[in-house]
Amino acid sequence: MKGRQVVDQPQLFGSKTPWYREPWPWILMSGPAVAVVASFVSLYLAVAGADPLVADNYYKEGLAINRVIDRDRAAQAQGYRAVVMVSPTGTKVRVQLTGLGALPDALRLRFVHPTKAGMDQDVFARQTQQGWYEAAIELAPAVRWHVQLEDPGERWRVTGDWHPGDASFVLEPRRG
């Protein structure tokens, strides 16, 4: 076969470089890979950050709401009202309790964090003189606290909110 010239034929499927050296397969695989990584991150956040706002025993808490309402009504009937003063350092609290009922020797102050139950704190304030109570507190930083004041027998309670910048605040029975 004289005179016949052999010519290289063009490649049908592109260049001779392997697929993993081309940018397009990696670009196409990056979308699903990001989705897989994001799903594992979401799974971790769901498992590690349990929602403390949802009560485990919501049925029992629902049944106990009548008891809470009765405690508020008892405080209202006795005319209980408290002025709470917090030291400038935020380490001491002083309570002035007034009302028609008998004043207990001690009070229970409950500082409830609005979103994190693990940061809640109960403090027992002892009576220093008639109607005045004192206790030491150590609270985590927060923008606002729900505060409940009640007698040790849990027969009545007064409630309110405290913003840590305020030197004093008032606790009264909830109405309605």
Side-chain angles (χ1 to χ4, degrees), residues 146-158:
H146 299 300
V147 182
Q148 298 175 2
L149 179 70
E150 59 191 13
D151 67 321
E154 296 184 359
R155 292 180 295 274
W156 57 264
R157 75 173 192 160
V158 291

Side-chain angles (χ1 to χ4, degrees), residues 2 21 31 34 55 59 66 70 83 88 90 93 104 106-107 109 113 117 123 130 141 146 168 170 172:
K2 258 173 142 185
R21 293 205 177 174
V34 168
Y59 181 73
N66 290 335
D70 291 342
V83 177
V93 66
L107 295 173
L109 259 169
H113 193 276
V123 176
Q130 185 64 23
H146 299 300
S168 66
V170 176
E172 295 179 314

